[in-house]
Amino acid sequence: MITAAKKVSQVAAHTGIAFGLMYVLTGSVVFGGLAAVLEPVVNVLLLPFHERAWHKLRARAVQARERYAALAGEKVSQTIMHAAVAFLMLWWATGSMAVGGLAAVLEPVLNVVALPLHDRLWDKLELRLAAQPAAAAA
């Protein structure tokens, strides 16, 4: 139950970041909503193809160093894909390369900062909830 709530909260946080950033950049609730819906959907649709391609590349890695390099390459590639989707969505929606470029830089940065903080809060909540039955049994 807690895992499902955490995942829903992660999606809400990610969507909220996309909406908030686009609202600040454009001043439009419509563009903010468009970004909050389209950008994550496109990323979710592309991610399985991305992961499948990188899985094939990682499977070829024999040595630990090669596996580590492939994993690092996958994460860099995933970040680039995410930024490209943000850029293309906002460029398409607004017609402005500047807004698209700013979104492509800021949205992933905001996620990298906010989502680990979000996850730490959930980890603390999970620890607190796990300790409650032990305290009640004692």
Side-chain angles (χ1 to χ4, degrees):
M1 178 74 167
I2 191 83
T3 302
K6 181 178 180 180
K7 292 300 176 191
V8 168
S9 179
Q10 285 172 330
V11 170
H14 188 94
T15 303
I17 288 168
F19 174 83
L21 177 62
M22 296 320 130
Y23 178 74
V24 167
L25 290 177
T26 65
S28 168
V29 173
V30 172
F31 286 139
L34 187 66
V37 172
L38 280 184
E39 189 263 340
V41 167
V42 171
N43 276 318
V44 166
L45 292 174
L46 291 177
L47 194 57
F49 299 106
H50 182 269
E51 287 177 344
R52 203 171 307 133
W54 277 97
H55 178 74
K56 289 178 184 178
L57 286 171
R58 282 196 324 265
R60 293 186 208 158
V62 178
Q63 298 176 348
R65 179 175 278 180
E66 292 172 336
R67 287 190 301 272
Y68 181 74
L71 182 61
E74 178 183 5
K75 295 307 173 191
V76 168
S77 174
Q78 189 175 9
T79 302
I80 291 168
M81 182 188 80
H82 192 96
V85 168
F87 170 77
L88 291 171
M89 288 292 107
L90 268 294
W91 179 28
W92 170 76
T94 65
S96 170
M97 290 182 83
V99 172
L102 199 53
V105 172
L106 290 178
E107 200 261 345
V109 169
L110 290 172
N111 280 314
V112 166
V113 171
L115 293 178
L117 295 173
H118 172 273
D119 290 345
R120 272 195 219 128
L121 289 172
W122 274 95
D123 290 343
K124 287 179 183 180
L125 176 63
E126 288 173 353
L127 287 173
R128 196 173 321 140
L129 291 175
Q132 283 180 351

